[in-house]
Structures are given as structure tokens and as C-alpha cells.
Amino acid sequence: MTDIMSSPAVKQAVKQAAAAQQSATQQSSLQQSATQPIRAAVVRAAELARDAEEHARARQHAKGKGTARERLDLLLDTGTFEEIGRFRGGDINGGRAGSAVITGFGDIYGRRVAVYAQDFSVRGGTLGQAEGEKICHLMDMALDLKIPIIAIVDSGGARIQEGVAALTQYGRIFRKTCEASGFVPQISLILGPCAGGAVYCPALTDLIIMTRENSNMFVTGPDVVKAATGEIISMNDLGGGVVHATRSGVAHYLGEDEADAIDYARTVLAYLPSNSQSEPPVYAYAATRAERETAKRLAEIVPDNDRQPYDVTDVIRCIVDYGEFVQVHELFAASAVVGFACIDGHPVGVVANQPNVRAGILDVDASEKVARFVRLCDAFNLPVITLVDTPGYKPGADQEHAGIIRRGAKVIYAYANARVPLVTVVLRKAFGGAYIVMGSKAIGADMNFAWPSSQIAVLGATGAVNIIHRKDFVKAKEAGQDVEALRAKFAAEYERTTVNANLSLEMGEIDAMIDPEQTRDAIAESLRLLAGKRRRRLNDKHHGNGPL
């Protein structure tokens, strides 16, 4: 990490300055010991920098937290951090080292990123005019350089003493974040408190990462909640990492600790390009016999019984390179699975229904999870691989009242507007509206495949015959016939003529029927075919007005 203390001469000068205790002969001794004269102002600044970090360690380590600089050391490749504005907002003569945020640039896996880390040891990490100006300047540079922006958040919010000046800086950061949205990847690491209006800075970014301990996000804290409603609730129960990763969906990943959270940020960036005008990185990959043997396992993972659950992540790991799959929103809306992987060394986004959780049904939360991830992939040029096994949208008054119409439509909007390569495989069942929205040919997918046992229809056989033949069942019951035997007969006939994928093949909605072990090859070949797909502007509208 580049630092004012990184120079051996400055380090030695600071040590001697401390030993000399500001004696009258200090300056001459410093000049004699260093390879070249070091100005007293530089020594003073270096002393402030050293003391500030010692103070930060004392305060943060007592809480089980790292300092802002220690976090940057973990995030960035060793020795690549170049700080800008180190003493901006400080008062060197007055003994104040700088503002409550550190800004600069560094590398992650050899690729340049912009970073800022709030320093809770300085005025509680609060944001005032100096901090806001530093962050906005960094973001302007990141946009000019077209590189990702990573924020490490640990702050008490707006600095009350600065009033509207502090609030104004949040407004500027909001606007800059919106300007950067979809242009460069933006990741927020919440490693401390984030409260009030400050929560909307990370909320506007692509990914939010929290930890089990110390991470908190809420618009109004426990004291305000108690005063306004009388409810007594802890910070963790109100807005801790577990709550936001499992219930609200605000957090996309829950780290066990700071190191785990930071490692996840580094991992995710390895799949994303530096900006929307660039292609994702490509990695070396060579197929081996082990991968071919793994592909054969696909035929054994999915049960023939369409009501029997299985873990779709097992399917995903048999398809992607080395079985490596990085989930996003793993603990939220678990009936859908989304995440990053590679096919033949090329990063892709994977979307799948999870039959292990509520049969892989689409509800309000799963819909938003899928929609947001597809939009992220489309913004940054990652092809989307969709694996379908769902009985449809979740029925019920609770879902209707929660906005399944509005929120379910987000999946449609995401897929219909996506311009990256879209490849879909129906693994077992795809019924009703869920079939349409989960990357169907009609919604805009480029290549669609189905496994031989797949079922595609408006409804499953049992539900369909209950509607189609309801009068026949009434008559059979009145005549004393075996209604269940008749229902089974009609269901078998419906499956033979309607539910199987043959009709979709004949209509061209499915491009090919493939055996399970062919899945990876079919996807890889499709991606090679679609590598030249280019975006095109369909009309001159400013932007769409999708369901929000």
C-alpha cells in the first residue's frame, strides 16, 4: 500500500523525531541521517499518519473490526494501493490527519479499481463536506477511467454539526452512483453501521455485502423506532446482516467475518468486466476426463417423479467449469438460484429454479431476485444460462396482496429487454406463466433446449384435467364410477398429447431435445454461436417504464 510512511527515510525520520522529542537539534540530525533532507512538514504529516492508524487500531480492534487501511490491504493486490487526497479535510498544523474517508485506486487480480473506505475512528466515520467531495472526486475519476467502484462502509451517517452541507454531499453521491449504475460495477461492503439516508448509497449499487457481526443497515435506528412506535428491538434484529441476507433481500452475501466478505467482493469482480463497454475476462480452461464423467451424472440427479425434490446446484456444478459456482442472494428467496460461473473459461450468469425449496415456485421475492440478477448480467455483458423446473407462480391471497403481478412482471421486463446471449434448458417441468418468463423463446431467448422427460404446458396434468373434465367427473360420480381411475386416465392422456415437449419442438419454441449429459456441450456450443451477438437500439425512447 502506497503511504506517506512507506519511505524508509521518512520512517527513520519519524522515529528519530519521537526520540528527540522535538529538540532544537532535530532538523540537523534528520538531514544527516537521511539520504536527502526531509522537511519538517513532511515529518509532521508522517507522524500524524502513524498516530492516526495507531488510534484506529486501538478503537477498531477492540470491537473486533479492522481499520479502514487494514481492510484495503485485504481487498487489493499487495502493494497496489495509490491513495489520493490523504490529508484533504485535515489540519496538519492543528494535529488532525485527515477526513473520515480514505480514497484511492488499486488492483484486484491485476485489474484497476477505485475504492473508498470510511474510517470510523475519525468522527465516527461520519460524512461531511470534505468526505463527500473526496468520494465524488474519486467517482468522477472512476467514470473517466471506466473502472469498478468499491465502497467500504463504516459510518455514523451524516455529520450533524455540518447540517445541510452534509446532506448535500449525500445527494451528490446518490447522483454519481446513479450515473455510474450499469456503466461500471459498483460493490458496497457494509462492515459497520450504515444508518439514515446513508443506506441509499449502497442500495443504489450492484451488490451489497454484509457480515454476521457488526454490519447494520436501517433508515431509522432502534431508539427512533422505540420513540415512534414503542417497539423495543436490537440493532441486529432491526437491520443486521442476517436480517438483510435472509428476509429483506437487501444484502446479496452474508460474510462470516470481514475477511470472508472482502474475499467475496474480490471473487465476484473476477467474473465482471471493468465497464459496460468491455467484455468479461476470459480464463484458460481445458476439458478433462473428470469433467466428462461429471456430465454423465446429470442423468442421475433429476428424479423421474416430477414431485420429488432435488438440489439444482448439483446440476449447475455438473455443467460449469470445475464445478465452481458463486451464488448471489443465496440466503434470500431460496426457491430461485442465481450466481456466476464459467463455461469454457467465459463468465456467465446462471438462473435456475430450486425444486428443493417449495418445488422451485416463483413468488414475489424469487421474482425480484431473478429479475435484478438478469439485469446485472445484461448490463455487464454476461450471457444468461437459465435452467427451468418450476410449477409456476405461487398462488394465494398473500402473494396477490404482496404484488405478485407487479413484482412478477419484473422477470418479464428483465428477460425481454436483455440483449446478451440467452440460453435456456428445461430440465423437468415448465408450467403456465413461469414457463414464459423463465427465458422462453417467446420472451427473447436465443437458444432453447429441453430434456426428454420435460413437461411444458399451461398446467400440470392433474390440475388441467380437473378443470377440463370437471363435468365428466361430476357425471361419473353420480353414475357410481371410479372417479380417481377416470382422473388418472385423463391425466395420462393429457401428458401424452399435451404436457410433453414435443408440441414445443414442433412449434419451434424448443430448438432441440437433448440428453442430460449433453447439456454442457449444448450450452457451450450455443455460446460460441452467439459470441458475435450485438446490441441494437429498437427505437428512440429515452428509457422504458418497467415495474418497480
Side-chain angles (χ1 to χ4, degrees):
M1 179 181 290
T2 301
D3 186 11
I4 193 170
M5 293 296 295
S6 63
S7 165
V10 172
K11 287 182 180 179
Q12 181 66 19
V14 171
K15 288 180 181 178
Q16 292 192 5
Q21 296 182 349
Q22 307 296 330
S23 67
T25 61
Q26 174 186 350
Q27 186 62 32
S28 61
S29 65
L30 290 177
Q31 291 176 352
Q32 292 172 3
S33 63
T35 57
Q36 61 183 20
I38 299 175
R39 306 179 88 175
V42 174
V43 176
R44 176 58 177 156
E47 287 177 326
L48 284 177
R50 178 202 59 191
D51 294 344
E53 185 61 13
E54 290 177 354
H55 173 68
R57 282 195 292 268
R59 290 199 61 182
Q60 293 291 86
H61 290 184
K63 303 173 185 176
K65 298 161 64 176
T67 70
R69 295 184 184 279
E70 289 171 340
R71 291 162 173 171
L72 289 171
D73 277 337
L74 285 175
L75 176 66
L76 302 171
D77 297 348
T78 303
T80 63
F81 182 57
E82 296 288 341
E83 186 170 358
I84 60 173
R86 172 73 187 252
F87 294 98
R88 183 172 181 175
D91 181 1
I92 295 175
N93 292 331
R96 187 154 50 88
S99 66
V101 66
I102 299 168
T103 56
F105 301 90
D107 292 353
I108 292 180
Y109 296 121
R111 295 164 57 208
R112 187 55 49 97
V113 298
V115 292
Y116 69 86
Q118 293 177 314
D119 187 348
F120 197 81
S121 70
V122 178
R123 299 186 182 184
T126 53
L127 184 133
Q129 184 169 343
E131 289 78 10
E133 289 175 349
K134 284 183 70 172
I135 292 171
C136 288
H137 176 61
L138 177 82
M139 295 181 76
D140 282 334
M141 292 185 68
L143 291 174
D144 287 341
L145 296 171
K146 302 179 182 178
I147 58 176
I149 301 169
I150 304 173
I152 299 179
V153 180
D154 188 0
S155 169
R159 187 169 298 148
I160 297 173
Q161 297 90 326
E162 296 192 27
V164 72
L167 297 178
T168 298
Q169 295 305 319
Y170 272 122
R172 293 184 62 208
I173 296 171
F174 294 164
R175 186 165 184 175
K176 293 289 181 188
T177 306
C178 291
E179 183 181 346
S181 180
F183 180 60
V184 296
Q186 298 181 91
I187 296 177
S188 298
L189 283 151
I190 313 300
L191 303 183
C194 181
V199 297
Y200 295 110
C201 290
L204 291 167
T205 61
D206 299 305
L207 294 169
I208 294 176
I209 302 168
M210 299 182 73
T211 59
R212 288 188 179 275
E213 304 292 336
N214 298 321
S215 291
N216 297 109
M217 292 182 72
F218 37 71
V219 176
T220 53
D223 293 341
V224 177
V225 170
K226 181 180 179 181
T229 68
E231 180 184 4
I232 299 175
I233 189 169
S234 69
M235 289 179 67
N236 276 337
D237 290 339
L238 179 63
V242 174
V243 168
H244 285 311
T246 60
R247 296 180 62 183
S248 72
V250 168
H252 297 84
Y253 182 75
L254 181 66
E256 291 299 323
D257 52 29
E258 290 188 5
D260 182 32
I262 290 170
D263 182 66
Y264 183 81
R266 286 176 56 88
T267 300
V268 165
L269 277 177
Y271 292 91
L272 296 172
S274 294
N275 56 73
S276 62
Q277 298 173 355
S278 303
E279 292 300 315
V282 178
Y283 301 99
Y285 175 79
T288 65
R289 179 177 297 178
E291 274 73 32
R292 288 189 287 271
E293 291 300 319
T294 299
K296 293 179 181 178
R297 288 188 51 236
L298 286 170
E300 305 169 359
I301 294 174
V302 180
D304 293 332
N305 183 350
D306 64 2
R307 292 181 177 273
Q308 187 175 341
Y310 64 92
D311 190 346
V312 77
T313 61
D314 291 338
V315 174
I316 296 170
R317 291 191 172 94
C318 287
I319 294 172
V320 301
D321 293 357
Y322 307 116
E324 294 179 357
F325 178 52
V326 179
Q327 285 201 56
V328 175
H329 260 152
E330 181 177 0
L331 304 178
F332 176 69
S335 63
V337 172
V338 301
F340 301 105
C342 285
I343 300 287
D344 284 349
H346 294 266
V348 298
V350 179
V351 176
N353 306 112
Q354 176 57 288
N356 241 3
V357 180
R358 295 187 296 277
I361 206 162
L362 280 177
D363 59 14
V364 290
D365 289 336
S367 296
E368 291 191 333
K369 174 178 176 176
V370 169
R372 179 65 192 273
F373 184 74
V374 171
R375 295 286 280 176
L376 173 63
C377 292
D378 186 52
F380 295 111
N381 307 316
L382 265 67
V384 177
I385 311 301
T386 307
L387 306 178
V388 186
D389 188 352
T390 178
Y393 278 105
K394 185 179 180 180
D398 63 327
Q399 290 293 299
E400 298 295 347
H401 297 167
I404 189 65
I405 297 172
R406 170 178 57 84
R407 296 163 74 178
K410 295 180 182 183
V411 185
I412 300 173
Y413 197 85
Y415 273 104
N417 283 281
R419 295 293 177 264
V420 292
L422 302 175
V423 180
T424 301
V425 182
V426 180
L427 304 182
R428 191 166 61 173
K429 59 184 179 294
F431 295 151
Y435 157 70
I436 301 171
V437 305
M438 288 293 294
S440 68
K441 181 78 72 172
I443 207 79
D446 300 293
M447 299 295 293
N448 291 67
F449 304 98
W451 286 4
S453 59
S454 60
Q455 302 177 359
I456 303 172
V458 176
L459 285 173
T462 302
V465 298
N466 283 340
I467 295 173
I468 297 171
H469 297 286
R470 61 184 181 277
K471 292 182 179 179
D472 295 325
F473 295 146
V474 172
K475 291 177 182 179
K477 184 177 181 180
E478 291 174 350
Q481 296 177 1
D482 187 342
V483 175
E484 291 306 315
L486 185 62
R487 180 179 284 110
K489 174 186 174 183
F490 285 141
E493 179 65 15
Y494 185 82
E495 286 187 357
R496 185 182 68 82
T497 60
T498 308
V499 174
N500 64 63
N502 288 343
L503 181 59
S504 298
L505 274 167
E506 294 162 2
M507 293 178 61
E509 295 301 305
I510 296 293
D511 293 300
M513 192 83 74
I514 60 173
D515 288 326
E517 56 264 34
Q518 294 177 292
T519 305
R520 176 184 164 88
D521 289 340
I523 293 172
E525 182 59 36
S526 297
L527 293 179
R528 285 191 288 270
L529 173 68
L530 298 168
K533 184 179 180 182
R534 294 293 178 262
R535 298 174 185 272
R536 57 191 178 92
R537 191 179 182 92
L538 301 178
N539 51 50
D540 293 329
K541 66 183 177 184
H542 300 304
H543 56 74
N545 186 23
L548 298 174

